[in-house]
Structure formats: C-alpha cells, structure tokens
Amino acid sequence: MQIYLVGGAVRDSLLGREVKENDWVIVGATPEQMIELGFKPVGKDFPVFLHPKTNEEYALARTERKQGRGYKGFVFHTGIDVTLEEDLKRRDLTINAIAQDDDGNIIDPYNGQKDLKNKIFRHVSKAFIEDPLRVIRVARFAAKLPEFNLHPDTLHMMQEISASNEIEALEPQRVWKEIARALNEEVPSRFFEYLELCDALKILFPELEEVEIAIKRLAYAASLGLRPEVLWAALLYHTDSYHIKLIDQRLNTPKKYHEIAYLSHESCPIWANIENNNAEEYLQWLKMVDAFRRPERFKILLEVCKYCEECNGILKAEKCDEVYESANQITAEPFVKQGLKGLEIGKAIDKARIEAISKIL
Ligand code: CTP
C-alpha cells in the first residue's frame, strides 16, 4: 500500500501558503486492511478513514461516475486496482490534483504545477461537469487566490453546469459552507463575480437586487477589513427584508449572519441623519439598539454603518462609538452609594449619560 498527500495541502504548500488540513489518499489497500491498522471508518458515502492518532482523513483511491441527479447520484469504485492517476483524474482542478509521496516526490500527471505557475484554474477532465458544487468551489478559490484566472474551457463547463439545473439539487448546507468560507477569503467579492460570470448567481440568489452595486459594496466593506457577517449584510443591503428572508430560509443561514442583515436594514434610516441628533436623541438610540447590554452586537452595528460610503459611514461610526463610550462610562454604582433606589437610579444614570454625551457633541 502507498500513501500520498493530496489536494489543498499539496497545492497550498507549493504556493508557499499556510496548510490548514492534510488529506491523504491510499493506493492498494482494502477497507479491511485499514481497519486492521487501527483506522476508523467514517462517512457512509465514501471509503474514508480517520488516522488513529492524528485524526486526519485517509481516503482509498477511487473512481467515480455520475448516474443520477444531485449529490447522491454518484457511483464509486474503490479497489486495490485503482491507481493514483485514476484517483487524481476525477478531481476538480489541476492545481488540486497533485500528489506527494513520503519522500517529498511530486506526482503531477495533469500538469497542476504548470497551472499553479501560470495562475490558472483549469478542470482536470470532462468529469468536472459531474459535480455542480465545483461551480461554487471554483468561485471560492477565486476569492482565495485572487491572482488566478479561469481557463475559458473551464468557464464554459461551469456555464453548462448552471444551465443543467443541477445547482438547484445541491444541499443548502453545502452551499452555505462554501459561501461562509468565501466570505472569509482574501477577496470575497470575487466569489460573487465568478458566480455571476458562470450564470450561477441568479440560480443561487434569484432575490438579490442591484447585483453589480451589491458586489461593489461588499468589496468596499471587505477592503475596510469588516467581519464576514457584515460583508454578508453589505451584499444584501439593496435587497428588501422579505427577499432576505427567502434567502435565509433557503440557505438556512446562521443567526449571526441574518441578524446583522436585518439590523442593517432597520438602522439605515436612522444612520442617515444621526449627526443631527442631540444628546437625548443619541441616548434614546443607544438604548433602542441595546448598546449597553449587548456591546458586542453594537460594535458590529458600527461596522454595518461603515460600508455606507455615500453617507460618510466611517466618520459616523467613529462619532457614534465616541458617544457610546462616553455614555457607557456612567454606571449605577455612585448613585446606589448615594442611596438612590429603583427608578430613581435609572433616571440619574440617564441624566448623567446625557451630560457626558453633550460634552462630546
Ligand atoms: N475535491 C474535488 N471535488 C470536490 C471536492 C473536493 O475534486 N467537489 C478534491 C480536490 O482534489 C480537493 C480535495 O478533494 O483538493 C480536498 O477537498 P477539500 O478539502 O474540500 O478542499 P481543498 O482543495 O483541500 O481546499 P481548501 O484548502 O480550501 O480546504
């Protein structure tokens, strides 16, 4: 039996990037041998095992063929006769189809290193078309490796996948996983640009309004280093709440993402004139957004304001943060010491907070 490192680990180490996860392929072994060696079988769909010590994934070399619609429509073949070249051939991109043996030798039958050097995303074989998730994966790689470009034949295949209705059959959690990862990559806007380029954006997000402006806003938010859930809200800024809800329900987006998208919508009219607020109005607003009890969420709300370039969002957010910090310094303690009770304490805190905010304004 031979063991090879494959996929993202080889790609990223050849690119001089940090390797996050090792995937291994085993040629010439049976599942029984793997179990005898102490590997734990996982996943009912693939012959994948976990290493007894490192817990890393080891997959038996396999070939696969698509026979039905959707993710479950694959037929696999594993066996001691499946070669490394055959296993690499069913993979998505040439840059992901490079293997490395124990001695560090590179096995690269589909010229992945050449494509790494020329910065090209190119499919390995016609089998690319059999897995619709690859459209979304390639878009994510575009966000991860922004200096890479798509080979025209691969683009053509991605467009064919989009036209085939297969994207609709993908499991929502697999789609969301890719989106969330893309929002954490170097240039997240490229993910959406690539989806648009291969006609998949309108399939995945038919509700998204003002697509071009939305992607630009996301790009601007990303350039400010804002967190992924705020980038998501930036993308949905031009889409109304009803349609955001449809997207959330379909993709089952985590709460922290959809909460911020709605918050952004609710807050927008208030942000528009916030600089005209007097101290009392500022305090009212801080209470309304629950800033004193939920400071972490409030800081995210400030980030949401920042991506509104056309209304000087950064300046407004800085000002609001200053206002919040000054008001937040006022606590109940001194008033309790003075002997105030119940509602009186609340009133005294409000008064002191208004005074503190007035000093800043
Ligand atoms: N792969 C594939 N088609 C898919 C998913 C995975 O061909 N739909 C292959 C690719 O060879 C890929 C490898 O399986 O490199 C491992 O997949 P995964 O861990 O999902 O991605 P990585 O390429 O390792 O990328 P990342 O570093 O972003 O995790």
Side-chain angles (χ1 to χ4, degrees):
M1 114 177 32
Q2 295 105 39
I3 300 177
Y4 301 91
L5 185 63
V6 280
V10 181
R11 178 199 67 224
D12 287 345
S13 77
L14 287 171
L15 283 171
R17 297 171 73 103
E18 187 198 346
V19 172
K20 298 228 169 87
E21 183 188 90
N22 287 331
D23 287 311
W24 305 88
V25 71
I26 301 195
V27 178
T30 61
E32 293 74 28
Q33 279 174 305
M34 297 296 289
I35 291 166
E36 233 165 73
L37 289 168
F39 283 83
K40 270 184 260 146
V42 283
K44 51 182 171 27
D45 296 330
F46 305 113
V48 178
F49 300 84
L50 295 183
H51 191 281
K53 290 214 176 92
T54 62
N55 243 13
E56 288 178 347
E57 280 193 6
Y58 286 69
L60 294 186
R62 68 175 188 262
T63 56
E64 58 192 23
R65 226 162 9 98
K66 186 92 189 265
Q67 284 208 326
R69 190 163 180 256
Y71 182 52
K72 296 201 181 337
F74 282 98
V75 175
F76 300 103
H77 169 65
T78 58
I80 47 173
D81 57 323
V82 177
T83 64
L84 178 65
E85 283 70 18
E86 283 171 329
D87 180 277
L88 296 175
K89 192 174 180 184
R90 57 139 186 113
R91 292 173 184 266
D92 51 5
L93 300 172
T94 59
I95 61 167
N96 291 339
I98 311 171
Q100 189 173 22
D101 69 15
D102 267 357
D103 300 323
N105 299 313
I106 295 288
I107 300 104
D108 182 16
Y110 306 104
N111 298 318
Q113 290 174 104
K114 191 168 155 221
D115 285 339
L116 274 182
K117 188 165 160 267
N118 296 327
K119 304 188 188 327
I120 292 175
F121 298 126
R122 186 202 309 258
H123 60 280
V124 177
S125 74
K126 284 192 179 135
F128 178 92
I129 217 155
E130 295 183 349
D131 180 358
L133 189 70
R134 289 175 172 173
V135 167
I136 308 173
R137 276 174 61 85
V138 172
R140 173 168 66 77
F141 286 123
K144 179 185 172 110
L145 302 170
E147 62 286 3
F148 275 62
N149 288 303
L150 194 53
H151 190 279
D153 294 345
T154 310
L155 169 62
H156 196 237
M157 281 187 161
M158 288 164 72
Q159 287 167 333
E160 260 184 70
I161 295 175
S162 297
S164 72
N165 295 334
E166 279 280 339
I167 290 179
E168 290 88 331
L170 285 168
E171 292 173 356
Q173 62 268 37
R174 299 184 82 211
V175 175
W176 173 257
K177 201 171 149 206
E178 295 295 332
I179 297 171
R181 289 185 73 180
L183 291 170
N184 278 285
E185 298 291 7
E186 217 167 299
V187 184
S189 54
R190 242 182 150 222
F191 174 75
F192 297 95
E193 282 163 4
Y194 262 57
L195 292 179
E196 171 79 330
L197 189 69
C198 66
D199 310 324
L201 194 69
K202 59 178 184 292
I203 301 170
L204 290 167
F205 301 103
E207 303 87 355
L208 195 64
E209 283 157 44
E210 309 263 15
V211 168
E212 214 173 302
I213 302 172
I215 296 176
K216 266 199 193 136
R217 192 176 291 279
L218 163 72
Y220 175 66
S223 75
L224 299 177
L226 306 182
R227 64 191 89 196
E229 52 272 39
V230 176
L231 304 187
W232 179 242
L235 181 79
L236 299 177
Y237 181 80
H238 300 277
T239 304
D240 64 59
S241 312
Y242 170 74
H243 287 105
I244 294 181
K245 198 165 186 180
L246 292 183
I247 297 175
D248 281 336
Q249 283 170 346
R250 194 176 53 252
L251 294 175
N252 200 6
T253 49
K255 188 170 173 226
K256 73 170 183 179
Y257 282 86
H258 61 244
E259 198 181 50
I260 302 302
Y262 293 126
L263 197 63
S264 146
H265 266 262
E266 274 170 28
S267 316
C268 197
I270 302 170
W271 284 119
N273 293 309
I274 203 148
E275 64 271 35
N276 301 328
N277 274 3
N278 60 32
E280 248 168 84
E281 286 163 338
Y282 262 118
L283 182 64
Q284 237 175 30
W285 172 71
L286 287 173
K287 284 175 157 183
M288 190 184 84
V289 295
D290 219 2
F292 302 114
R293 285 194 307 177
R294 299 182 70 185
E296 174 59 18
R297 193 180 86 138
F298 177 68
K299 296 287 172 179
I300 298 176
L301 182 63
L302 295 182
E303 283 194 22
V304 167
C305 175
K306 284 185 184 169
Y307 64 65
C308 241
E309 196 177 11
E310 62 275 27
C311 57
N312 266 329
I314 295 184
L315 277 180
K316 280 184 186 177
E318 279 167 5
K319 176 88 176 184
C320 289
D321 201 20
E322 228 184 313
V323 164
Y324 163 76
E325 291 297 342
S326 68
N328 198 36
Q329 277 171 12
I330 312 292
T331 61
E333 211 186 324
F335 305 112
V336 174
K337 277 189 187 154
Q338 280 172 29
L340 297 187
K341 295 238 160 34
L343 284 178
E344 285 172 351
I345 300 175
K347 277 187 190 159
I349 293 176
D350 279 358
K351 192 164 168 266
R353 281 182 170 161
I354 289 168
E355 276 163 23
I357 297 171
S358 301
K359 278 186 199 149
I360 297 226
L361 301 180

